Amino acid sequence: ANLGAIHIGEMASASCWSVYKKKNMKKIRIAIVTNSFPKISETFIFNKVAGLVDAGFDITVIAHGSNDDRSFFEKRSVLQKINIVYSLNTFSTMGQLILFLNYFIKAPARNISLLKKIYRENGDIKKMIISYLKLQPFIINEFDIIHFEFSGIAVSYLSELNYLENTKISLSCRGSAEKSTPLFKPERKEQLSRVFKHSSLVHWYCS
């Protein structure tokens, strides 16, 4: 399990050492952003997360889907130590509205400032609300590192990465699709290039 966590663990140990000291030796906080968690078909992600938890890091998984295989992993005690947060994709429209109000009342002044900043940059109220909701789990938890398990997920956060400039960003590029997708979707090259500019580390694994 620890081997699966090496590339993020090394980054946390080296790149974030100054952050670690400034926080009075508190645990480094890492967000793992993925589709659904835990999944039988993606045990490598579970093993990576388990390895990071065992190594002493504070781990939160941000899942974009609630269709998981938790029952398969229930015997793994480490599962109880992993904080799983679900993204706005898993909420209904009413649920998103309740989520918006819940976030907003916790820090009105800060959130008004953030909403104004987002709106100035895109000029669209709907996009502003979506970006605001996508950003909240990262802002509230003040992660030291945010790792996107798939490049497609990282691309979906392109509009939000500018607001996470004080956080180390890393991502994994996996599978043959990383080679083929840019061929029939030319815009993917430009999108990945933009994501890479925000990233401190890229884990590339494809056949």
Side-chain angles (χ1 to χ4, degrees):
N2 288 333
L3 290 176
I6 282 178
H7 68 284
I8 301 179
E10 287 182 344
M11 177 178 163
S13 299
S15 301
C16 287
W17 180 243
S18 60
V19 175
Y20 197 61
K21 289 191 292 184
K22 289 178 183 177
K23 292 197 171 187
N24 299 317
M25 303 305 287
K26 290 182 181 179
K27 289 183 178 181
I28 292 176
R29 309 192 76 181
I30 303 175
I32 303 293
V33 189
T34 188
N35 292 312
S36 296
F37 182 90
K39 293 290 288 182
I40 295 175
S41 59
E42 296 172 354
T43 53
F44 58 92
I45 295 178
F46 182 87
N47 290 336
K48 177 196 295 182
V49 171
L52 288 167
V53 170
D54 289 342
F57 297 104
D58 184 347
I59 304 298
T60 294
V61 174
I62 298 179
H64 279 234
S66 56
N67 182 27
D68 57 46
D69 299 313
R70 181 183 292 265
S71 60
F72 179 82
F73 296 88
E74 281 182 347
K75 291 184 180 179
R76 300 284 296 274
S77 59
V78 70
L79 184 61
Q80 308 307 316
K81 301 177 184 178
I82 303 168
N83 180 33
I84 303 175
V85 175
Y86 294 98
S87 74
L88 77 136
N89 295 2
T90 62
F91 292 86
S92 64
T93 301
M94 181 57 70
Q96 290 180 15
L97 176 59
I98 294 173
L99 192 65
F100 177 89
L101 294 173
N102 183 51
Y103 284 139
F104 187 83
I105 61 177
K106 290 181 179 178
R110 184 193 68 188
N111 286 313
I112 288 173
S113 176
L114 176 60
L115 286 166
K116 285 182 177 179
K117 185 175 181 181
I118 298 173
Y119 183 74
R120 280 198 302 268
E121 294 193 7
N122 61 48
D124 185 292
I125 293 178
K126 184 177 180 180
K127 289 181 179 179
M128 174 192 73
I129 294 174
I130 290 174
S131 285
Y132 170 83
L133 290 174
K134 289 169 71 176
L135 283 166
Q136 285 304 312
F138 303 114
I139 293 173
I140 290 174
N141 290 285
E142 298 182 332
F143 296 114
D144 300 301
I145 297 172
I146 298 171
H147 179 74
F148 295 97
E149 283 296 339
F150 300 96
S151 62
I153 298 178
V155 166
S156 74
Y157 279 86
L158 262 177
S159 298
E160 290 70 48
L161 291 180
N162 287 329
Y163 304 100
L164 300 171
E165 55 190 18
N166 294 323
T167 304
K168 299 285 185 181
I169 304 293
S170 67
L171 71 144
S172 290
C173 296
R174 291 191 177 89
S176 57
E178 296 293 351
K179 294 180 179 180
S180 59
T181 301
L183 297 178
F184 58 87
K185 289 186 177 180
E187 68 275 12
R188 186 57 171 256
K189 291 181 181 179
E190 187 268 338
Q191 291 169 340
L192 284 175
S193 177
R194 288 168 58 195
V195 169
F196 292 162
K197 288 178 181 179
H198 289 280
S199 304
S200 299
L201 180 147
V202 177
H203 166 229
W204 194 277
Y205 182 82
C206 61
S207 56

